[in-house]
């Protein structure tokens, strides 16, 4: 990489006063997952660390499928805000000059497709229609190819795509096509999305990019397999369609480069040669967005589409540990809604009718935005990525050294907590080390630090937020200095706080739900509670309470926790307020068994 991939970064900060030069190095990649292949775990805790190779599959099987759909419908009723203006604009590039270029690209693609639509005329036979389409495609390709050169295969592929998606865009043009049959819509929708992606890298010769920002960073395409169960999912449930992001490279990397555009895939499969991947069938480790197709726009069908979108997005969160939010599409006949799912919201746009020029332009503009926008606007966190040299994943933190912020990169050892819900705090925990794992001693997966990543509700700015767990944990660590009797009974604060986003102009703002959605959308959401992206590094890793082996051990653990609780209240004036089984860990060392009190996110 040449360090110019995306201009929006996320960096963990102690306060909101981070300088641009203190942000993490730019990187660009798209998703992470860990090959999940065991039974589903119980309720997450800071429990015994689970290695990456032993992570459980995302499962929706048996009665869980029925219960999962019922839960999803309930969540739709609670979280959905429908017909919101500006949902598509969430994905716009933050630099206005670049965005104007993107708009022109989208308009050019829409005009191309409009020309194809105009070729469809009453009474025109299949052969005549094919000749009309072929002539239009050839004319457009000449405008988009240097010296008017393009391959016959490109022309043939685009013709085949157009023949398919025009059945959907031009109602009544094909008597065998029914716009109320969702299985008829699948291939049309797939071809339209992939047709747009093909044109993203073929701008008109008069609209060539003049800077790196005006080059697309990725192609958003649809998997060709539809109505299918993703490869790494259990159970019988099938998603209608799924989209993926494929990074574009503009330079050759050397073997010594640590990060590349593909460095956030969290699976061994992703590290294999690209031509060895199965890109035809969806895989939750790579899915960028879920698409649900319904036969019409009736309230019952659209609600069902929303519920299925929520249900299947669980698999994306479960597998991709750097997802901040998720995009999706719900289609009713020829009408499409753009959707975005976050910690406490499910937002849907107005319908975009693909049978009209205005509706097509809106949808195409949305798809093109995805190819050009900065990485965090896709919902990813670029501070978690794969290091090609050390063959492991890294997580970046900001440390406070007097008045200076410095960045520390930690090396991932094990995943402790998975985000298993679409809505909520999205708590994830990682066991990390300060040094890369030894390539010679691959069995040594020990880590001495735990990183907690979550989206809690917050009040006010980072400086004024009294609910900031990082500040409370820092007070506990400082308040118990010199009290060796509590050693090992609580996690010790290392660094952390709110994460921040830096836009294309170098301005840094807190990474919150309000920042994600933008002011236009946020103003329509009434009293939606604000949530912020928090990351905390702490020392001390234990096992779940269920690992105790006897009643005497249980007594010792509970005694330690209660003694620690009273010590924190006395010396730090902090009340925990959430002592429960999930917040009590077991620690073992040469001296025996000990108890540890964790999770101060409800403390005051």
């Amino acid at each position: 990489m040449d360090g110019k991939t995306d201009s929006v970064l996320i960096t963990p900060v102690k306060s909101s006063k981070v300088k641009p030069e203190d942000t993490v190095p730019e990187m660009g990649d798209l998703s992470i997952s860990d090959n999940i292949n065991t039974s589903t775990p119980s309720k997450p805790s800071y429990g015994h660390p689970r290695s990456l190779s032993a992570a459980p599959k995302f499962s929706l099987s048996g009665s869980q499928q029925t219960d999962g759909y019922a839960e999803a419908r309930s969540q739709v009723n609670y979280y959905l805000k429908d017909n919101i203006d500006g949902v598509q604009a969430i994905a716009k590039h933050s630099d206005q000059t670049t965005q104007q270029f993107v708009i022109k690209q989208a308009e050019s693609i829409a005009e191309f497709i409009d020309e194809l639509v105009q070729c469809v005329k009453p009474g025109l036979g299949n052969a005549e229609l094919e000749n009309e389409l072929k002539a239009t495609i050839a004319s457009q390709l000449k405008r988009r190819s240097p010296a008017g050169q393009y391959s016959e295969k490109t022309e043939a592929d685009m013709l085949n795509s157009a023949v398919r998606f025009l059945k959907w865009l031009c109602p009544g043009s094909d008597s065998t096509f029914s716009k109320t049959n969702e299985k008829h819509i699948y291939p049309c929708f797939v071809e339209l999305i992939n047709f747009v992606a093909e044109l993203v890298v073929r701008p008109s010769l008069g609209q060539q990019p003049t800077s790196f920002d005006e080059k697309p960073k990725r192609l958003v395409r649809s998997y060709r397999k539809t109505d299918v169960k993703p490869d790494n999912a259990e159970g019988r449930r099938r998603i209608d369609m799924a989209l993926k992001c494929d990074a574009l490279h503009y330079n050759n990397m050397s073997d010594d480069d640590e990060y590349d555009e593909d460095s956030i895939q969290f699976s061994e499969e992703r590290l294999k040669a690209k031509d060895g991947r199965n890109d035809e069938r969806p895989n939750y480790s790579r899915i960028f967005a879920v698409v649900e197709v319904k036969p019409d726009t009736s309230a019952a069908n659209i609600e069902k589409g929303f519920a299925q979108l929520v249900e299947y997005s669980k698999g994306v969160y479960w597998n991709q540990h750097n997802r901040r939010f998720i995009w999706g599409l719900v289609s009713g006949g020829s009408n499409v809604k753009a959707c975005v799912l976050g910690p406490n919201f499910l937002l849907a746009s107005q319908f975009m009718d693909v049978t009209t020029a205005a509706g097509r332009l809106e949808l195409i503009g949305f798809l093109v935005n995805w190819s050009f926008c900065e990485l965090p606007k896709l919902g990813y966190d670029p501070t978690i990525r794969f290091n090609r040299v050390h063959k492991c994943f890294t997580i970046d933190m900001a440390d406070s050294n007097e008045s200076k912020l410095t960045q520390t990169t930690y090396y991932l050892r094990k995943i402790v907590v998975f985000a298993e819900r679409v809505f909520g705090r999205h708590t994830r925990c990682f066991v990390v080390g300060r040094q890369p794992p030894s390539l010679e001693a691959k069995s040594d997966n020990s880590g001495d630090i735990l990183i907690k990543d979550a989206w809690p509700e917050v009040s006010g700015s980072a400086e004024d937020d009294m609910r900031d767990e990082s500040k409370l944990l820092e007070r506990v660590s400082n308040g118990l200095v010199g009290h060796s009797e509590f050693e090992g009974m609580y996690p010790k604060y290392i660094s952390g706080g709110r994460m921040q986003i830096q836009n294309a102009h170098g301005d840094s703002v807190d990474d919150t739900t309000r920042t994600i959605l933008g002011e236009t959308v946020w103003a329509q959401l009434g009293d939606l509670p604000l949530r912020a992206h928090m990351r905390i590094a702490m020392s001390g890793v234990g096992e779940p309470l269920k690992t105790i082996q006897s009643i005497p051990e249980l007594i010792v653990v509970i005694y330690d926790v209660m003694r620690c609780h009273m010590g924190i209240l006395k010396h730090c004036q902090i009340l925990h307020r959430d002592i429960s089984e999930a917040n009590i860990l077991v620690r073992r060392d040469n001296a025996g068994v000990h108890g540890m009190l964790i999770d101060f996110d409800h403390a005051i």
Side-chain angles (χ1 to χ4, degrees):
M1 286 180 61
D2 57 6
K4 296 182 179 179
T5 51
D6 283 328
S7 55
V8 169
L9 302 174
I10 302 179
T11 178
V13 298
K14 180 76 171 174
S15 71
S16 61
K17 298 179 181 179
V18 65
K19 299 178 182 178
E21 60 267 27
D22 293 323
T23 58
V24 299
E26 289 192 57
M27 53 73 59
D29 201 349
L30 305 167
S31 64
I32 58 177
S33 77
D34 22 312
N35 280 328
I36 294 181
N37 195 22
T38 62
S39 59
T40 303
S42 58
K43 180 181 179 181
S45 70
Y46 283 9
H48 189 269
R50 182 181 291 107
S51 68
L52 291 174
S53 60
K57 277 189 178 180
F58 174 70
S59 175
L60 284 171
S61 58
S63 62
Q64 288 182 331
Q65 295 186 24
T66 303
D67 294 344
Y69 178 70
E71 180 186 30
R73 288 189 63 181
S74 176
Q75 291 173 331
V76 167
N77 291 333
Y78 185 82
Y79 290 105
L80 174 65
K81 301 286 187 181
D82 199 4
N83 297 318
I84 297 295
D85 293 328
V87 170
Q88 299 94 321
I90 296 171
K92 293 171 81 172
H93 199 286
S94 61
D95 179 73
Q96 291 186 2
T97 302
T98 302
Q99 184 58 30
Q100 287 302 312
F101 178 84
V102 175
I103 291 173
K104 291 180 180 179
Q105 290 291 85
E107 290 174 344
S108 174
I109 295 172
E111 289 172 3
F112 184 173
I113 293 176
D114 287 346
E115 287 186 28
L116 296 175
V117 169
Q118 292 168 12
C119 292
V120 182
K121 303 168 186 175
L124 199 64
N126 289 339
E128 292 86 355
L129 173 60
E130 185 171 317
N131 288 334
E132 289 264 2
L133 295 175
K134 188 173 182 180
T136 301
I137 290 172
S139 174
Q140 282 282 351
L141 284 177
K142 286 180 180 178
R143 298 182 215 168
R144 298 167 181 273
S145 305
Q149 297 178 353
Y150 55 90
S151 69
E152 292 184 1
K153 184 178 184 305
T154 298
E155 181 180 358
D157 288 346
M158 296 186 79
L159 176 61
N160 290 333
S161 292
V163 168
R164 284 195 171 188
F165 69 66
L166 286 173
K167 297 178 183 180
W168 186 36
L169 272 53
C170 305
S173 62
D174 187 334
S175 60
T176 65
F177 176 82
S178 172
K179 69 174 184 178
T180 60
N181 185 327
E182 56 188 73
K183 291 191 177 181
H184 285 193
I185 297 175
Y186 296 157
C188 302
F189 208 163
V190 167
E191 295 298 343
L192 178 62
I193 291 171
N194 292 347
F195 192 88
V196 171
E198 176 70 24
L199 293 176
V200 162
V201 291
R202 293 178 180 274
S204 297
L205 295 181
Q207 296 177 338
Q208 295 295 311
T210 58
S211 67
F212 184 84
D213 283 343
E214 292 179 353
K215 292 182 178 181
K217 305 303 181 292
R218 63 199 70 85
L219 296 184
V220 176
R221 294 187 283 201
S222 174
Y223 288 94
R224 294 199 174 275
K225 294 286 186 181
T226 58
D227 190 25
V228 64
K229 184 185 78 173
D231 277 343
N232 56 337
E234 295 178 342
R236 302 181 301 276
R237 296 302 286 262
R238 302 194 298 266
I239 62 177
D240 291 345
M241 293 170 53
L243 309 185
K244 59 182 177 178
C245 287
D246 290 327
L248 294 173
H249 299 268
Y250 296 103
N251 66 307
N252 296 321
M253 291 187 62
S254 72
D255 291 336
D256 295 329
D257 290 335
E258 291 192 355
Y259 302 107
D260 68 355
E261 272 288 317
D262 297 315
S263 62
I264 301 189
Q265 280 297 347
F266 218 97
S267 65
E268 294 297 327
E269 173 190 355
R270 201 58 178 99
L271 306 180
K272 298 177 182 177
K274 289 186 177 182
D275 57 4
R277 296 201 312 258
N278 179 6
D279 276 350
E280 298 302 307
R281 189 183 186 92
N283 184 303
Y284 274 127
S285 67
R286 291 205 66 213
I287 289 175
F288 162 63
V290 174
V291 182
E292 283 302 310
V293 178
K294 298 303 159 203
D296 55 51
T297 58
S298 66
N301 274 327
I302 297 302
E303 180 185 357
K304 183 178 181 181
F306 287 142
Q308 290 174 331
L309 179 64
V310 169
E311 184 178 13
Y312 303 142
S313 292
K314 286 183 182 179
V316 179
Y317 273 125
W318 180 264
N319 283 269
Q320 300 179 26
H321 307 289
N322 68 336
R323 285 307 286 264
R324 297 158 52 242
F325 60 91
I326 297 175
W327 286 102
L329 295 171
V330 172
S331 170
S334 61
N335 293 277
V336 182
K337 283 180 177 283
C339 303
V340 59
L341 302 89
N344 59 344
F345 56 81
L346 165 58
L347 308 183
S349 71
Q350 305 275 352
F351 278 121
M352 298 173 280
D353 186 352
V354 298
T355 66
T356 68
R360 287 192 295 271
L361 176 58
E362 197 170 7
L363 177 60
I364 291 167
F366 183 44
L367 297 175
V368 174
N369 278 341
W370 278 343
S371 289
F372 283 85
C373 70
E374 302 95 329
L375 191 65
K377 287 179 174 283
L378 296 179
Y380 296 101
D381 179 348
T383 64
I384 304 177
R385 68 245 197 246
F386 188 79
N387 184 300
R388 299 171 68 244
V389 172
H390 298 297
K391 308 298 183 187
C392 67
F393 286 88
T394 61
I395 303 175
D396 294 329
M397 294 290 301
D399 299 317
S400 178
N401 182 9
E402 296 179 352
S403 61
K404 183 180 180 181
L405 282 171
T406 58
Q407 177 190 306
T408 298
T409 296
Y410 293 99
Y411 298 85
L412 181 62
R413 298 295 191 268
K414 299 171 184 177
I415 302 172
V416 180
V417 176
F418 299 81
E420 62 175 1
R421 293 181 179 275
V422 175
F423 305 106
R425 298 170 61 86
H426 290 171
T427 299
R428 299 174 172 105
C429 293
F430 310 97
V431 176
V432 300
R434 297 179 184 274
Q435 300 296 326
S438 170
L439 298 179
E440 291 75 26
K442 294 184 178 180
S443 61
D444 181 14
N445 288 326
S446 61
D448 58 353
I449 296 169
L450 186 133
I451 289 180
K452 178 180 179 181
D453 193 277
W455 284 81
E457 288 188 11
V458 297
S459 56
S461 65
E463 291 84 355
D464 301 329
D465 186 11
M466 300 303 295
R467 305 167 66 177
D468 187 335
E469 183 182 6
S470 66
K471 293 180 180 178
L472 292 169
L473 191 58
E474 185 176 20
R475 281 175 55 193
V476 170
S477 299
N478 292 336
L480 295 184
V481 170
H483 294 277
S484 58
E485 66 271 26
F486 304 116
E487 189 70 26
M489 297 181 186
Y490 61 95
K492 289 187 177 180
Y493 173 85
I494 297 175
S495 65
R498 289 192 191 183
M499 305 288 281
Q500 286 206 332
I501 288 179
Q502 185 186 44
N503 63 23
H505 305 290
D507 301 321
S508 296
V509 294
D510 290 344
D511 187 18
T512 66
T513 48
R514 184 170 185 169
T515 304
I516 289 171
L517 300 178
E519 293 304 317
T520 300
V521 172
W522 186 259
Q524 301 172 65
L525 304 183
D527 56 354
L528 183 71
L530 181 67
R531 288 181 180 261
H533 188 187
M534 306 288 293
R535 184 174 293 169
I536 310 171
M538 61 195 88
S539 62
V541 179
E543 301 176 347
L545 186 60
K546 64 183 180 181
T547 61
I548 57 173
Q549 300 173 4
S550 65
I551 296 298
E553 281 193 356
L554 175 62
I555 293 173
V556 170
V557 168
I558 298 301
Y559 174 75
D560 283 350
V561 166
M562 297 310 299
R563 187 156 61 100
C564 178
H565 176 263
M566 295 304 297
I568 292 173
L569 182 60
K570 177 180 179 180
H571 299 290
C572 310
Q573 290 76 53
I574 292 175
L575 183 63
H576 188 280
R577 298 203 308 165
D578 190 25
I579 298 179
S580 63
E581 178 183 352
N583 293 336
I584 298 175
L585 296 187
V586 179
R587 292 183 60 255
R588 299 179 187 277
D589 56 25
N590 294 334
V593 66
H594 310 279
M596 174 185 283
L597 180 62
I598 62 170
D599 270 352
F600 288 80
D601 42 13
H602 290 287
I604 57 174

